[in-house]
Amino acid sequence: MDATKLRRAIARTRLAPVAAFPKRLARVARHDAKVLRASARWLVTSREHHNYTYELTTLSRHHLSWFVSVVCDVPVGRVRGWFAEIEGDDELRRHIERATAEASRRGLADRQVRYARRIGWYAMVRATRPAHVVETGVDKGLGSCVLAAALLRNAAEGHPGRVTSLDINPEAGYLARTAPWSEVVDLVVGDSVASIGALDRPVDLFLHDSDHSRAHEKREFDAVEPKLAPGALLLTDNVTATNVLAEHAERTGRRFLAYRETPARHWYPGDGIGAAWGRPAS
Ligand SMILES: C[S@@+](CC[C@H](N)C(=O)[O-])C[C@H]1O[C@@H](n2cnc3c(N)ncnc32)[C@H](O)[C@@H]1O
């Protein structure tokens, strides 16, 4: 019996997994070694202990540009232009580097500025030109700065807007307390659900990125629904963990799409962006 026939014969028996064991072991070991190398490098080079920052792989960046293109119904070339715009914003980059170096929590923050999926948030604000953005969960304020940078560009083109950034921690948002970004950011301290209930202006773009428990995410989308402007865009940072926004979209007659990011050279598997949009007029 030749080797091919023998392999086929073994593949039909209960011995097949045993015979394939060396190959399977090599595959999983190669994968795990890559994660271990990235983890070891990160443990000695990074200071972060949560809300990790990283670049996206080139492929993941491509997929994000198409995701924004579909959700916002704009040509993908324009989205790539907005990615280049935020990544080439040296004034914002220098500000974040400086503010990070001076912050009281500097021992737990990396100096390198890495936006990951937040370039998608930026492009969505540039594409939809919202008058009022609400972001729940601020942490250092990296996302608030990115949203503010998009709003400032929109304002320069005649479409002003503001972002209300909600966090339960009074120390959150230190990156977003410097002009010109602070001029379009309203930091609100308190539980996000209560703060959403107190909003007195319609919301054009809502981003959940606070307490990532399923129950809290659902409470936020339920609370914001009556506050939304017609045609509002809903985003969640929790889409790799829950189906809350997809269920909300189905209940409210919207479309839904999810993007899962892939970090480059990092052990963390990444987060994503869930988007719900296009509620038919009632
Ligand atoms: C993942 S971080 C936000 C990241 C931020 N959006 C960014 O772009 O870097 C989550 C934040 O949610 C805040 N948070 C947790 N529970 C909250 C609640 N019930 N209400 C408001 N903020 C909350 C935390 O204090 C933390 O700063």
Side-chain angles (χ1 to χ4, degrees):
M1 193 185 290
D2 67 23
T4 309
K5 280 191 179 147
L6 180 63
R7 269 201 302 277
R8 281 190 192 142
I10 292 174
R12 284 193 289 271
T13 73
R14 293 163 72 149
L15 277 179
V18 180
F21 187 79
K23 196 169 182 177
R24 296 166 67 233
L25 180 64
R27 285 260 163 91
V28 75
R30 255 200 312 277
H31 172 272
D32 291 353
K34 201 167 140 198
V35 177
L36 271 177
R37 268 197 306 278
S39 309
R41 193 181 329 112
W42 176 82
L43 281 169
V44 291
T45 57
S46 174
R47 306 166 174 205
E48 296 178 342
H49 70 308
H50 75 139
N51 198 19
Y52 312 117
T53 62
Y54 36 77
E55 307 291 353
L56 300 178
T57 63
T58 305
L59 182 62
S60 192
R61 199 172 175 283
H62 280 311
H63 290 170
L64 179 54
S65 60
W66 278 106
F67 171 80
V68 175
S69 167
V70 170
V71 170
C72 298
D73 197 16
V74 287
V76 71
R78 294 201 72 194
V79 179
R80 290 194 196 107
W82 291 320
F83 284 2
E85 189 174 270
I86 179 66
E87 288 170 338
D89 187 337
D90 292 332
E91 193 192 351
L92 177 62
R93 194 172 286 275
R94 276 195 300 273
H95 155 65
I96 294 170
E97 282 166 357
R98 208 172 26 243
T100 301
E102 290 165 4
S104 58
R105 290 158 69 190
R106 59 184 172 273
L108 292 171
D110 288 349
R111 302 288 157 84
Q112 298 94 323
V113 181
R114 297 170 294 223
Y115 299 124
R117 65 199 170 286
R118 294 176 190 83
I119 62 174
W121 304 353
Y122 180 90
M124 289 198 249
V125 171
R126 293 289 278 132
T128 59
R129 298 166 166 177
H132 188 201
V133 177
V134 172
E135 173 198 30
T136 72
V138 178
D139 191 30
K140 304 172 190 72
L142 186 57
S144 311
C145 281
V146 165
L147 296 167
L151 291 168
L152 288 168
R153 294 269 187 173
N154 287 351
E157 294 170 1
H159 302 279
R162 300 189 66 78
V163 54
T164 307
S165 294
L166 316 175
D167 204 291
I168 204 160
N169 177 1
E171 289 177 18
Y174 61 81
L175 295 176
R177 294 176 197 271
T178 302
W181 306 279
S182 60
E183 286 161 5
V184 293
V185 178
D186 299 308
L187 287 168
V188 177
V189 178
D191 174 69
S192 58
V193 176
S195 301
I196 291 166
L199 291 171
D200 57 5
R201 280 182 301 136
V203 179
D204 300 291
L205 192 155
F206 178 82
L207 166 64
H208 160 80
D209 191 14
S210 62
D211 173 346
H212 280 202
S213 68
R214 185 187 160 78
H216 191 84
E217 186 185 7
K218 182 171 182 332
R219 277 197 293 273
E220 281 192 6
F221 284 113
D222 288 345
V224 83
E225 188 60 42
K227 305 278 179 177
L228 296 174
L233 173 60
L234 300 175
L235 304 177
T236 181
D237 199 66
N238 212 17
V239 75
T240 55
T242 78
N243 207 30
V244 166
L245 184 54
E247 287 162 3
H248 188 85
E250 192 165 347
R251 250 194 328 273
T252 56
R254 293 186 171 87
R255 307 180 77 190
F256 174 83
L257 207 57
Y259 157 78
R260 179 184 277 267
E261 69 178 1
T262 308
R265 301 172 301 280
H266 206 288
W267 62 269
Y268 186 63
D271 292 306
I273 306 177
W277 77 101
R279 180 178 198 170
S282 50

